[in-house]
Amino acid sequence: MVSSSITECNIQQMKLRIGDPELKVFTYSNIDSTNEECKRILQKGTHKCLVIADTQSNGRGRAGKSFFSPYGGLYFSIAFPTVDAESVLTCRVGVETVEAIQEACGIRCGIKWVNDLFYKGKKVCGILAEQYNNNTIVGIGINLMPVSIPTELSNIIGFLDFPDIRDQLVENITARILHSSRNRLEIIECYRRYSMIIGKQIICHQGDNSFSALAVGINEFGALEILGPNGRETLSFGEVSIKTNQDNY
Ligand code: BTN
């Protein structure tokens, strides 16, 4: 079903502002997952697309988790033909999204490695980047407006609480990702600056294994450097959570 909130005229203006005539834009009031819809569209021969939805019935997060996607949020995916040769795409998307939110709302979110954006101690944005054939699909979910959420998520999920920035954010983030000109080291430098975990006590989760550590840095490829039970280590996959009672974004 086509989205009620974005008109055909908006789409044309959006494409102009994003500045990519090849980009095809699709909007839905509901879809299972904008990342999955990108895959279906790519299969039909489109090379570059932006899929935006008001809600998702099967929103996907990293590590097979689901992503709660009610009305009031912004859910979109950008698919483009590239493979992540620099292996810093995840950091790039995090950095560009932090800066786009700052431009639109005047607030600075923090990045929790790998790529969750936090504001006032709660997660306001999740990012799922996938390789699909020779394409990259970047899916971004932003909790824009406060909505009622399941009790078990109420300590975890936060909201930006800015009502009128939906189109601006989609355009700005998409343009930044498609036309990003900063090199790997410039992106990593920003990523370190926006990181909310460096210097914090964290719990690292890798598969079934969890352990406490101190987050000491982000290396030049976006991996997390920790001081853990086995001394200094570099983690290139997994999830972390921040131990409570420390200052947060
Ligand atoms: C995470 O928090 O683990 C990543 C969440 C990514 C959610 C976005 S919403 C748009 C796109 N479609 C999906 O199904 N997932 C991503």
Side-chain angles (χ1 to χ4, degrees), residues 33-35 56 58-62 67 75-77 116 123 126-128 139-141:
S33 151
T34 54
N35 272 36
Q56 296 182 119
N58 194 17
R60 292 176 40 238
R62 287 187 307 276
F67 188 79
Y75 315 102
F76 66 106
S77 302
D116 289 338
K123 177 167 167 173
I127 296 168
L128 176 67
I140 301 176

Side-chain angles (χ1 to χ4, degrees), residues 162-246:
F162 283 82
D164 299 323
I165 53 167
R166 211 168 175 266
D167 292 2
Q168 188 188 344
L169 275 183
V170 176
E171 284 166 22
N172 197 346
I173 295 170
T174 305
R176 282 167 170 272
I177 290 171
L178 292 179
H179 310 305
S180 184
S181 58
R182 282 177 282 188
N183 68 30
R184 180 169 55 84
L185 291 179
E186 288 168 326
I187 287 293
I188 293 294
E189 207 178 295
C190 295
Y191 186 95
R192 287 179 180 136
R193 207 171 327 128
Y194 306 153
S195 169
M196 59 185 280
I197 65 166
I198 297 175
K200 298 253 168 76
Q201 292 293 336
I202 57 172
I203 302 169
C204 306
H205 311 274
Q206 290 196 305
D208 292 339
N209 189 20
S210 293
F211 54 91
S212 296
L214 174 69
V216 290
I218 303 291
N219 80 6
E220 69 268 39
F221 297 101
L224 177 64
E225 293 173 337
I226 58 159
L227 203 49
N230 302 320
R232 204 170 170 124
E233 276 187 81
T234 303
L235 306 185
S236 48
F237 73 96
E239 293 275 319
V240 302
S241 45
I242 302 176
K243 287 195 176 171
T244 47
N245 299 327
Q246 300 177 84

